Amino acid sequence: MQITPGKILAQINSPEDLRKRDRSELLQICDELRQYIIDNVSVYGGHFGASLGVVELSVALHYVFNTPDDQLIWDVGHQAYGHKILTGRKDSFHSNRLYGGISGFPKRKESPYDAFGVGHSSTSISAALGMAVASKYKGENHRQHIAVIGDGSMTAGMAFEAMNHAGDIPNNMLIVLNDNCMAIDPNVGALKEYLTDITTSHTYNRVKDEVWNLLGKMSNFGKSAQEIVSKIENGLKATLLKQSNLFESLNLRYFGPIDGHDVEYLATVLNDLKDIPGPKILHCITTKGKGYALAEKDQTLWHAPGKFDKITGEIKKKVHATPQPPKYQDVFGHTIVELAEQNPKIMGVTPAMPSGSSLNIMMKAMPHRAFDVGIAEQHAVTFSAGMATQGLTVFCNIYSTFMQRAFDQVVHDVAIQELPVIFCLDRAGFAGADGPTHHGAYDIAYMRCIPNMIVFSPMNEQELRNIMFTTSLDDFKELKQTISIRYPRGEGVMPNWKTPFEKMEIGKGRKIKDGEKVAILTLGHIGNYAVKACEELANEGINPAHYDMRFVKPLDEAMLHDIFQNFDKVITVEDGCLQGGFGSAVAEFMLDHDYSAQIKRLGIPDRIVEHGEQIELHKECGFDPEGIAQAVRDILGREKVVYSSNIVNLTMN
Ligand SMILES: Cc1ncc(C[n+]2csc(CCOP(=O)(O)OP(=O)(O)O)c2C)c(N)n1
């Protein structure tokens, strides 16, 4: 489908084109840019509300600053669609997030305007500071460095670590705080309250306006502007604001709050700030979803709504004639509530992903027992550990990819202290359209190397429920171990998923089917691909055995002895990195016990795999159903037999 940009936007292929336009045209450019985002996302899907909220900022920043020489760094990057469209990717924007298309996030390889690759939050200030220090060191004093960070991302420790450093060393950096009071879900924490206070405080704003007026006059003073700034600092602002402003007390000059949707004013202010040396922060108030009424109203739903009818606002969902399996995240969300209703020790924790993890179900049902701690994975882990020391049963739900942030906390605060925290790692395996920054590729490898860690992955909804039940029982605590339960993004396989709870034996796998010559060992949901592969192979007279190993650690050693005594060809399948993963664990077992079998390991290879639908990526890496079937044929030295209607037709002819 051809999507046509508005009249002026059609002529803008780079920020240089934008900078040639008259300031009076900025408003229309914003309208056209907003419309282009709506037109594209409604048809092709993607993140939505965040980009609409920074349309004016995107235009003003590229209008005022000399990008890409000036470095513009977007935090998280899910809000950078306007930036992408303005920086030469308007015509390829229809391929956003699609297999082989442009990335949904800024990516250094993709464009010189993408100063820093991103996807995980709260990195922008550190990166911008590094660039600012490098520019200073190289004598490139003309260069500007701008980090655009949301109020949600500002809650993370990394952002504070960076500001703490920035306020202490010479650098020329501007932090634009894009404050819309939202993360994906409503933003949480004391900082949010502080930002609201600062925005609404009458005294503060009166003082700020006086300072701002003075600042506004600065442009008339040319070179003496800096002198004026220091006068301002020595006066009213320094005394009054320093005591009352968090950022000022960190030695960052604070400006704002200002309306982040007034593009001309934004341009004026940003232009003024160019002349003010040192680290500074501009607080902009914006509305997530700005310009699309429904997205302004339900900001969580419209964070990434999928395809929708832009006129009616109807979000397009597949309609099925029969009941469908639930998403794993919903099985987690409902099951934790079911268990917690019976067991008062159970608590839930999520770092800023209540709706993504479905912990919001518990937050609603039991607000005092389920916590959104902000974008703070490290804190989430240690906070859970603290509760566990007091005998509570804590389910800490973190996406596999974001858990990478908290590795040390898992080792130091949980495993070494033998605390039975239950980690639920959502979005484990390929994440899909979000791409390499979000693939949950590494958790098997980084969890299985930790002593006292059990690593489990359910093949279906029932296994997820049963492991949650098992680990919530008091005798799990007696093991003095922790567990990582990994499951993928998307649906399971059981429409009737609400099965009665059964206790599982830790370290016990199950045989799915007997077979001969080849044993397929799978971990987790991907085992369902192997079931399909076996069905296809049965048509060709090939009959491999299939085992759902469930646990990478401890491995089901009895089962593995049996497998290696009966099969000399073994295929392992995992939706995780091959290096150090499940297949590696099986190969280590074989070596440690002096077996010698031919092992073929299927999983995520040792390279960055880009974005696309999960099934496209599984196929690319050779572990979709057909890839697994082909691996069996290959290991047996068999050709694929094609029983297609064409062949029948040929025979008949
Ligand atoms: C380390 C990390 N944890 C969680 C996420 C998931 N995530 C993506 S966007 C987002 C909210 C960001 O909020 P904010 O910075 O305020 O930006 P907004 O969407 O409001 O523009 C979260 C939690 C992430 N990208 N990185």
Side-chain angles (χ1 to χ4, degrees), residues 47 49-51 53-54 75-79 105 119-122 149-156 178-185 187 286 288 303 351-353 374-377 399 401-402 405 438:
H47 288 103
S51 282
V54 294
D75 207 278
V76 186
H78 63 312
Q79 79 289 54
F105 296 93
H120 289 198
S121 81
S122 318
I149 182 167
D151 56 301
S153 300
M154 194 58 117
T155 60
N178 168 35
D179 183 2
N180 56 23
C181 287
M182 286 293 290
I184 295 176
D185 296 271
N187 198 11
T286 61
K288 199 161 173 171
H303 177 81
M353 303 306 279
I375 309 184
E377 288 78 12
Y399 283 18
T401 186
F402 303 139
R405 288 249 163 124
H438 284 62

Side-chain angles (χ1 to χ4, degrees), residues 37-156:
I37 294 171
I38 295 170
D39 290 349
N40 271 280
V41 177
S42 61
V43 174
Y44 299 108
H47 288 103
F48 189 56
S51 282
L52 292 189
V54 294
V55 162
E56 288 75 14
L57 259 172
S58 310
V59 169
L61 284 163
H62 281 294
Y63 191 69
V64 168
F65 290 100
N66 183 29
T67 54
D69 190 42
D70 289 343
Q71 308 269 278
L72 176 57
I73 300 112
W74 296 92
D75 207 278
V76 186
H78 63 312
Q79 79 289 54
Y81 291 5
H83 156 85
K84 291 205 166 211
I85 293 163
L86 293 172
T87 54
R89 284 162 282 183
K90 184 175 67 226
D91 296 338
S92 54
F93 194 64
H94 62 272
S95 72
N96 186 35
R97 291 166 59 90
L98 302 180
Y99 190 61
I102 64 168
S103 165
F105 296 93
K107 188 169 177 175
R108 278 159 50 81
K109 260 198 280 185
E110 197 176 279
S111 164
Y113 291 93
D114 293 359
F116 201 66
V118 68
H120 289 198
S121 81
S122 318
T123 58
S124 61
I125 307 178
S126 300
L129 181 60
M131 293 173 196
V133 166
S135 293
K136 197 165 174 51
Y137 177 68
K138 294 198 291 181
E140 296 166 353
N141 294 327
H142 62 284
R143 292 180 94 183
Q144 305 276 338
H145 313 85
I146 310 111
V148 185
I149 182 167
D151 56 301
S153 300
M154 194 58 117
T155 60

